[in-house]
Amino acid sequence: MPASTLTLITGSCNVILINGAQAANIFWQVGSSATIGGGCVLEGSILADTSITLNAGARVNGRSLAGTVTATGAQTMDSNKVRLPTCN
């Protein structure tokens, strides 16, 4: 069962991959909502059932996908960079 929420607090977090991990292989499964604070960098793809909010300056090296097969999700972005990761 995925966690209900994912919250990265503004200016105090970065996800750093080690030991050869690649953003293309990382998935964050969230039961309801994800919020990525400004200045944060998240590695990997976010899969949230309800919503994803990227505050101003937040970056995602992956995908940002909200919603399920039966429900529509919402995404809110404000001056963000979302980059499709590549596999080596």
Side-chain angles (χ1 to χ4, degrees):
M1 186 61 116
S4 178
T5 61
L6 170 67
T7 304
L8 301 181
I9 300 185
T10 299
S12 65
C13 59
N14 289 316
V15 174
I16 299 170
L17 303 181
I18 61 171
N19 296 329
Q22 297 179 25
N25 299 324
I26 306 295
F27 295 89
W28 300 86
Q29 184 178 0
V30 182
S32 63
S33 300
T35 302
I36 311 304
C40 293
V41 178
L42 180 76
E43 298 285 341
S45 296
I46 307 168
L47 310 170
D49 278 348
T50 305
S51 66
I52 299 172
T53 301
L54 301 179
N55 292 329
R59 293 185 299 154
V60 175
N61 182 17
R63 293 177 175 91
S64 174
L65 307 168
T68 63
V69 174
T70 59
T72 303
Q75 290 200 41
T76 304
M77 297 182 172
D78 181 4
S79 307
N80 307 107
K81 292 183 180 180
V82 177
R83 184 176 69 127
L84 185 61
T86 57
C87 289
N88 294 334

